Amino acid sequence: MPTELFRNDSHTCIAFHDLVRGDDGVQANQFLILDNGQSALIDPGGALLYTPLSMAVARYLPLKELTYVLASHQDPDIIGSVDRWLMYSPATIVCSRLWGRFIPHGVPHYQKDSGADRYLLLPDQGADIPLGKTHLRAVPAHFLHSVGNFQFYDPVSRILFSGDMGASMVDTEYLPVRDFDAHVPTMAGFHRRYMASNKVCRLWARRVRALAPLMIVPQHGLPFADPVTIGRFLDWIENLTCGIDLIDEHDPVFA
């Protein structure tokens, strides 16, 4: 069942978190934001998820009315179903300009209405994306873990949709993290391997502290939804040794 993360008279944020079944793939969350007749679907996943997600989205709006599909980066579990969203909706695909030449490789050459005019390519510094009577902010998060990576901040709900940052591998009910110490082992291995370096983690944490989100909602696993837990997560990521920090020139893997 979907979870409403936020709702007021004109603005709704919904998480779909249980559409990957069994051993079919890594658990992933998808998000739908609605505001005054416009809509944005964040990180809709690959072909595995298109049918169940399109059916779930259709409970909130017809696919022919979908305004945007937002991709934090280029991975298959983020935007592998791009051909289907281009075919069955009028949505504009929003992604980094670095991936604007690569994501279309997932679209058959003969597919109609899938050209450059269907893409909004973000500059490295990010941009505001108009949505209804508000906007979503594309927040730079490069090298966390993709070279062209964005997270999406909703100023109405004050939710940061953080992509792979904060991702956890869990098999529990979709509820906010309460015991941060117990949660760390579900994140640590992934972040040490996939995040580029402590330097970019520190820069990211500084940017997020300036945003002061009320929730941080990753694409995998559980959200952070109170100031103490968010603060502890930012403290943890600021001090994480990861990526190239862990490379030893004498390690035979890198010799």
Side-chain angles (χ1 to χ4, degrees):
M1 293 293 291
T3 296
E4 284 194 0
L5 302 173
F6 178 88
R7 176 184 285 273
N8 67 19
D9 290 342
S10 60
H11 192 89
T12 306
C13 301
I14 302 140
F16 305 100
H17 46 81
D18 58 357
L19 299 180
V20 179
R21 303 293 185 182
D23 297 325
D24 289 339
V26 176
Q27 186 277 338
N29 306 315
Q30 306 80 43
F31 307 101
L32 179 65
I33 303 176
L34 307 169
D35 188 279
N36 289 284
Q38 292 196 323
S39 50
L41 183 62
I42 300 176
D43 292 347
L48 174 70
L49 280 178
Y50 175 75
T51 296
L53 180 58
S54 62
M55 293 173 65
V57 169
R59 296 168 61 184
Y60 295 89
L61 78 159
L63 292 191
K64 65 181 181 180
E65 295 179 8
L66 183 63
T67 312
Y68 297 109
V69 169
L70 276 53
S72 58
H73 57 290
Q74 79 289 355
D75 282 358
D77 67 316
I78 296 292
I79 195 61
S81 57
V82 61
D83 58 328
R84 290 164 172 81
W85 294 104
L86 286 169
M87 179 178 293
Y88 297 114
S89 83
T92 296
I93 310 299
V94 182
C95 65
S96 165
R97 64 177 180 82
L98 296 181
W99 300 120
R101 293 175 294 170
F102 293 87
I103 289 175
H105 279 262
V107 182
H109 69 88
Y110 53 79
Q111 184 170 318
K112 296 180 179 179
D113 300 320
S114 60
D117 60 324
R118 295 289 302 277
Y119 289 81
L120 172 60
L121 303 182
L122 298 168
D124 283 345
Q125 67 269 27
D128 286 346
I129 304 161
L131 183 73
K133 294 184 179 180
T134 184
H135 66 274
L136 301 177
R137 184 179 306 171
V139 179
H142 307 310
F143 299 100
L144 297 170
H145 60 97
S146 170
V147 297
N149 193 63
F150 285 97
Q151 300 169 356
F152 300 102
Y153 179 68
D154 173 15
V156 177
S157 65
R158 294 179 60 187
I159 295 173
L160 176 64
F161 297 92
S162 62
D164 281 335
M165 179 56 83
S168 55
M169 303 297 117
V170 297
D171 184 20
T172 60
E173 190 176 359
Y174 189 76
L175 292 170
V177 174
R178 296 301 181 204
D179 185 341
F180 184 77
D181 290 330
H183 189 66
V184 166
T186 72
M187 303 187 293
F190 174 81
H191 286 74
R192 289 192 181 108
R193 178 71 187 205
Y194 279 82
M195 302 305 158
S197 71
N198 177 257
K199 178 179 180 179
V200 291
C201 288
R202 286 186 283 111
L203 292 171
W204 178 82
R206 185 172 68 187
R207 176 171 281 136
V208 173
R209 289 187 197 280
L211 283 175
L214 295 180
M215 296 181 70
I216 297 177
V217 183
Q219 193 238 348
H220 302 283
L222 304 181
F224 305 98
D226 68 83
V228 172
T229 307
I230 290 172
R232 292 205 62 194
F233 172 63
L234 296 178
D235 291 342
W236 178 77
I237 204 69
E238 278 182 323
N239 292 285
L240 184 70
T241 302
C242 57
I244 61 173
D245 306 326
L246 298 172
I247 293 177
D248 182 341
E249 62 180 328
H250 301 295
D251 188 327
V253 172
F254 299 102

